[in-house]
Amino acid sequence: MKKYLEKLPQELKRIIGLAAEVSEETAMPAYLVGGFLRDLILGVANFDLDIAVEGSGIIFAQKLAKKLKSGIRIHERFGTATLTLDNCLKVDIATTRKEKYPSCACLPVVSSGSLKEDLMRRDFTINAMAVSIAEGDKQELIDPFGGKDDLTSGRIRILHDLSFKDDPTRILRAVRFEQRFDFKIEPKTLALLKEAVGAGLLNKAHAHRTRDDLILMLKEKDPLKQIKRLGDLGGLSFLSDKLKFGKSTQDLFKAIDKEICWFAKNYSARRQLDAWLIYFTALLKPLSLAQLKLVTGKLGLRKGEEKRIISYCQESHKLIPLLSKKGIRPSRIFSLLEPLSYEEIVLLRSAGCQNKYLKEYITDFLEIYNGMRLYVSGHDLHGLGILPGPRYQRIFAQVLAAKLNGRVKTRRQELALIKRLIKTQH
Ligand code: ATP
């Protein structure tokens, strides 16, 4: 493994070197494991170090954090800790452990164990390898399940026949790694996966865990590929048996790819999009409101996430025709788009990407209308004898509409309009 480790960026080598010092000082054997090691062998950049410690992962992490002068987050209950460094590097440190699943899809009973036991509890052979961190060791690959072979041949393989029954979220993980690396789920694993899907095991898993793994799939580079494969394996029915990933949704995913790039290129300073939520909303769009609520409730999505999904699914069929017509006034465009989140706007532009007016209106909204501010303030209204209250909002909205439509431009014109409004509204 030395040849792989030598190729790592300097900063990672420094961290691993310091971890080796901690390992020697504490006499606790430590290993590089999991996705970091997998990606190291594959030659894929990965800046999330995964370290397993025989002894106490927490004590090890505290000592390493001191040497690195890094932040540390300890999860006492799981015997794990995460170190965060300034340069976006992350180090996950865990005590080696064994897991027992008392029954199907149940949370495991965890206790400390040897490295071998720690590798045995893992999902796939390609993620179940280790290499010692200690400098003196030959740093040979510890590969009890033939993970390196599977990496070379592009195979996703579970470690034992009950793997999907123990933890059905591995169904989603199998598809995710298969599609990410262009691998193949090997025949026996695939047969067991299909059996697990057929038995509805994804519905038995803890909802927050399936949700997290589903979100990870939607965060992958090519969500279309991910969801298509999951759908072909019948793995979407756990969300709703009404859900289809047909041609129109697939085309929508392709349009979303483009619109997310467009947004990132032009408006990256606004805020980072929750891109996964855009794809997920597109996937759920064909469902009725009742079915939607079942899905979002079952997954335990956050209120803000649920709100964006439901709002889009309910409003888009009205908004798209409204925004597809020529000559809509800016104030109208503003009032239609202003209540929407950026995710909904990007999805709307994707769904209406054939219509040049809709696209132009959305661009105008983001570039001009959304940032438009009035010169007048509450202070001015107060000066005109209006007491603070809901009337302020009404007046500001009317002045803003006039400004968007180009009827007022200067502060003086804004004030003149307010005076007229006050008169007519009395
Ligand atoms: P990614 O590249 O997507 O971050 P990863 O392999 O690093 O993938 P993590 O979710 O960070 O994935 O998990 C780290 C390691 O923990 C995995 O490589 C795997 O060995 C193990 N692991 C994670 N989830 C499971 C699971 N559900 N069942 C068994 N082992 C798991």
Side-chain angles (χ1 to χ4, degrees), residues 221-238:
K221 210 169 113 235
D222 192 346
L224 167 58
K225 222 171 139 219
Q226 296 276 342
I227 300 301
K228 170 119 188 22
R229 175 68 162 151
L230 185 62
D232 289 346
L233 291 169
L236 284 173
S237 57
F238 86 98

Side-chain angles (χ1 to χ4, degrees), residues 33-39 44-46 48 50 90 92 97 99 101 118-129 159 163 167-171 173 176-177 180-181 209 213 216 220:
V33 288
F36 180 81
L37 186 54
R38 177 199 66 219
D39 289 348
V44 173
N46 186 334
D48 292 349
D50 231 341
K90 194 161 84 65
D92 282 318
R97 61 185 193 261
E99 287 176 354
Y101 288 84
D118 190 270
L119 296 180
M120 270 169 67
R121 71 169 177 90
R122 291 175 185 262
D123 46 4
F124 311 113
T125 59
I126 59 166
N127 290 336
M129 298 180 276
L159 307 191
S163 186
D167 179 355
T169 63
R170 291 174 187 160
I171 295 167
R173 292 177 65 85
R176 180 154 65 88
F177 291 124
R180 181 199 292 176
F181 295 124
R209 298 195 60 224
D213 271 303
L216 287 176
E220 288 283 329

